[in-house]
């Protein structure tokens, strides 16, 4: 029997947390609820979830700080939940390493769909199941992006990246010198159902540039007024 995927629900509203848990359990997920930031950080270590649903307005340590602390060591997917719908709040959450952001109140079916979508994209450890013929990998000087096992090697070092960052980098690098608009990238990486702002793409590009500097042979280039491309210099 396949092991159930584990979802950590972090929300101080007991009714909302229980409702989310109910819907996820019906979809055959295993869930655990944490009611504050400190409990959430402890549960990440003990429960080892496959995905975290993280409310921002928490007593004690807020959701932003919880996300920041998790991202110091782990790439576990995080979907932020918040009643705050301002672009600033969304951008801040994404900059801290969240993979998605949903406003409250939200439709339960959409939440479950997004959980499944993020988990489909993030499948670490698949390298043992893959043959050399179906490994999705881009290899360049000082850079190797492996979408099969969700790993990035830069200058010989493993670089931790949340799933969306890695997927964006792989998508661009696998189509060298091709220009993509922000809308195209949003659709390709986040999916047609994503209702986010195109600035989401800008945030992720910024984070990628902080982790991998330009190389004499390649760089992440901005095409002003259009979007981005992964430029390979021959």
């Amino acid at each position: 029997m396949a092991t159930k995927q584990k979802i950590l629900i972090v929300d101080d509203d007991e009714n909302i947390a229980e409702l989310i848990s109910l819907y996820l359990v019906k979809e055959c997920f295993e869930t655990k609820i944490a009611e504050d930031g400190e409990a959430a950080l402890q549960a990440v270590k003990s429960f080892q979830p496959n995905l975290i649903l993280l409310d921002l307005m928490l007593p004690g340590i807020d959701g932003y700080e919880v996300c920041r602390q998790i991202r110091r060591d782990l790439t576990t997917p995080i979907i932020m939940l918040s009643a705050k719908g301002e672009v600033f709040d969304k951008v801040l959450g994404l900059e801290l390493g969240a993979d998605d952001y949903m406003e409250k109140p939200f439709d339960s079916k959409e939440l479950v769909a997004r959980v499944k979508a993020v988990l489909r994209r993030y499948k670490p450890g698949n390298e043992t199941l893959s043959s050399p013929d179906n490994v999705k990998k881009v290899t360049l000087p000082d850079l190797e992006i492996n979408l099969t096992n969700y790993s990035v090697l830069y200058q010989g070092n493993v670089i931790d990246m949340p799933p969306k960052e890695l997927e964006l980098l792989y998508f661009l690098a696998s189509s060298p010198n091709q220009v993509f608009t922000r809308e195209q990238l949003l659709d390709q990486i986040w999916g047609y159902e994503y209702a986010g702002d195109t600035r989401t793409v800008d945030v992720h590009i910024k984070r990628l540039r902080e982790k991998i500097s330009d190389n004499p042979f390649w760089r992440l280039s901005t095409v002003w007024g259009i979007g981005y491309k992964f430029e390979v210099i021959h």
Side-chain angles (χ1 to χ4, degrees):
M1 183 182 293
T3 303
K4 290 184 179 181
Q5 291 183 296
K6 298 186 288 187
I7 312 295
L8 175 62
I9 303 163
V10 186
D11 200 311
D12 63 329
D13 187 318
E14 183 179 350
N15 292 329
I16 290 177
E18 291 290 351
L19 187 61
I20 293 172
S21 177
L22 178 64
Y23 281 108
L24 291 172
V25 168
K26 283 177 64 178
E27 296 293 328
C28 296
F29 291 105
E30 180 182 348
T31 65
K32 183 177 180 63
I33 296 172
E35 296 181 353
D36 58 53
E38 187 174 347
L41 293 172
Q42 292 173 356
V44 169
K45 296 177 182 178
S46 60
F47 186 56
Q48 297 184 348
N50 298 99
L51 181 143
I52 301 165
L53 293 173
L54 178 61
D55 185 42
L56 293 181
M57 304 300 289
L58 297 170
I61 307 172
D62 67 18
Y64 291 120
E65 180 58 25
V66 170
C67 182
R68 184 182 290 110
Q69 291 192 34
I70 291 171
R71 279 289 172 261
R72 288 173 186 167
D73 304 306
L74 301 170
T75 58
T76 307
I78 297 172
I79 299 177
M80 285 188 168
L81 309 175
S82 178
K84 295 182 175 182
E86 298 298 323
V87 171
F88 169 80
D89 298 302
K90 295 179 181 179
V91 170
L92 178 57
L94 293 166
E95 282 186 329
L96 291 174
D99 298 281
D100 205 346
Y101 188 110
M102 291 191 69
E103 290 180 44
K104 293 180 177 181
F106 46 77
D107 181 82
S108 57
K109 291 181 180 178
E110 181 184 358
L111 176 64
V112 170
R114 291 204 189 193
V115 166
K116 290 181 176 180
V118 171
L119 286 171
R120 276 198 303 272
R121 295 185 179 108
Y122 185 67
K123 295 180 179 178
N126 283 355
E127 64 272 20
T128 56
L129 305 176
S130 304
S131 67
D133 294 333
N134 61 14
V135 169
K136 295 181 178 180
K137 182 167 66 174
V138 174
T139 303
L140 295 157
D142 289 335
L143 183 65
E144 180 181 285
I145 312 154
N146 191 320
L147 190 65
T148 302
N149 64 14
Y150 274 72
S151 65
V152 175
L153 279 175
Y154 174 59
Q155 295 181 342
N157 298 312
V158 176
I159 304 297
D160 289 331
M161 287 187 184
K164 288 293 187 296
E165 283 182 33
L166 192 147
E167 290 164 17
L168 178 59
L169 179 61
Y170 176 84
F171 180 76
L172 288 167
S174 61
S175 300
N177 300 318
Q178 184 173 341
V179 180
F180 294 95
T181 66
R182 290 169 175 82
E183 290 78 9
Q184 286 174 320
L185 293 172
L186 201 63
D187 182 63
Q188 286 290 333
I189 307 305
W190 283 266
Y192 69 90
E193 78 280 358
Y194 185 71
D197 192 282
T198 54
R199 273 175 282 192
T200 298
V201 176
D202 299 333
V203 169
H204 281 70
I205 291 288
K206 176 176 177 285
R207 280 162 37 188
L208 284 171
R209 284 172 171 162
E210 289 170 352
K211 293 177 180 178
I212 56 169
S213 303
D214 289 344
N215 184 280
F217 302 98
W218 50 263
R219 60 175 170 254
L220 272 171
S221 298
T222 301
V223 182
W224 297 108
I226 302 177
Y228 298 99
K229 68 177 178 178
F230 191 95
E231 188 174 357
V232 176
I233 304 150
H234 299 289

